[in-house]
Amino acid sequence: MPEYLTTKELADLLRIKERKVYDLAASGDVPCSKAMGKLLFPRDAIDAWIAASSTGPGATDLAPRPNVFLGSHDPLLEWALRESQCGLATFFDGSSDGLERFSRHEGVAAGLHLFDVETNEWNLPALSKEDRQQPVVLFQWARRTRGLVVNEQLAGKISSLSDLRNCRLVPRQQQAGAQQLLVDLLDNEGVSISEIDQCAPARSETDAAL
């Protein structure tokens, strides 16, 4: 269909009489524009209007998602989005946060790196736990090498995560995949995250490094 619908085209789409379309436009119940004395109805706005009136399971998935990239902060991803000039806004506040917001229809994509200790798998177990009415696509975009950024005075003095008991740690927020992985790895060594001296969480990879 064209970008703008005429009164007749909208009436055919909704299977109503043209008189009813005029009534909807006059009352402001349907999005429309007026040019050269004619009513025109933006197709995208009409689709969103119809979706907003939907009920039942999966109804919200019919509405257009906002152009926001959610989830884990990754400096390379942030750079790539900016350089591509794709126009996407970003809201990076951790993998778990991004997955929850994506399920609530708050963005078009979410960056994830969520490890499941029970299955020894990345991301798939977290996705399978979500109550989704529509299918999603999961693809690998990049590989990460993980480690600790340490003060040069500590270089060579940390041989295992248990050595963090004697250090001050800059953690990530609880929703961050890196923080969840750190907690799991500490548990494997019999160390509780509460045993480590911590400052305020860094909410991005860049802040953590700084």
Side-chain angles (χ1 to χ4, degrees), residues 25-97:
S27 63
D29 290 335
V30 64
C32 69
S33 302
K34 193 171 185 179
M36 303 295 291
K38 294 182 62 176
L39 290 176
L40 296 173
F41 304 89
R43 181 56 197 260
D44 289 346
I46 292 298
D47 289 340
W49 174 68
I50 294 173
S53 303
S54 301
T55 59
T60 56
D61 287 326
L62 298 174
R65 291 174 174 266
N67 289 328
V68 180
F69 202 110
L70 306 163
S72 172
H73 175 254
D74 183 279
L76 180 59
L77 174 61
E78 186 176 39
W79 173 86
L81 289 171
R82 184 174 60 250
E83 289 297 307
S84 72
Q85 299 183 351
C86 61
L88 287 175
T90 57
F91 189 88
F92 296 135
D93 204 25
S95 297
S96 294
D97 179 81

Side-chain angles (χ1 to χ4, degrees), residues 167-185:
C167 302
R168 189 161 187 248
L169 175 70
V170 180
R172 295 294 309 283
Q173 67 270 40
Q174 291 184 356
Q175 300 93 333
Q179 182 68 11
Q180 294 176 28
L181 178 62
L182 176 61
V183 171
D184 289 336
L185 292 175

Side-chain angles (χ1 to χ4, degrees), residues 54-170:
S54 301
T55 59
T60 56
D61 287 326
L62 298 174
R65 291 174 174 266
N67 289 328
V68 180
F69 202 110
L70 306 163
S72 172
H73 175 254
D74 183 279
L76 180 59
L77 174 61
E78 186 176 39
W79 173 86
L81 289 171
R82 184 174 60 250
E83 289 297 307
S84 72
Q85 299 183 351
C86 61
L88 287 175
T90 57
F91 189 88
F92 296 135
D93 204 25
S95 297
S96 294
D97 179 81
L99 186 55
E100 292 174 5
R101 290 179 183 275
F102 182 83
S103 297
R104 295 199 301 265
H105 219 70
E106 295 179 16
V108 295
L112 307 175
H113 56 105
L114 293 168
F115 182 70
D116 184 73
V117 292
E118 295 181 2
T119 62
N120 200 37
E121 284 189 287
W122 290 90
N123 297 324
L124 283 173
L127 282 173
S128 66
K129 295 175 184 177
E130 290 294 312
D131 182 20
R132 291 176 284 102
Q133 301 295 331
Q134 298 248 328
V136 297
V137 175
L138 177 67
F139 65 93
Q140 180 176 305
W141 181 76
R143 287 184 177 273
R144 281 182 167 184
T145 300
R146 301 178 192 282
L148 298 173
V149 179
V150 300
N151 186 296
E152 61 182 355
Q153 296 175 350
L154 296 175
K157 297 182 179 180
I158 299 178
S159 58
S160 70
L161 290 178
S162 60
D163 292 332
L164 293 178
R165 285 192 178 102
N166 303 316
C167 302
R168 189 161 187 248
L169 175 70
V170 180

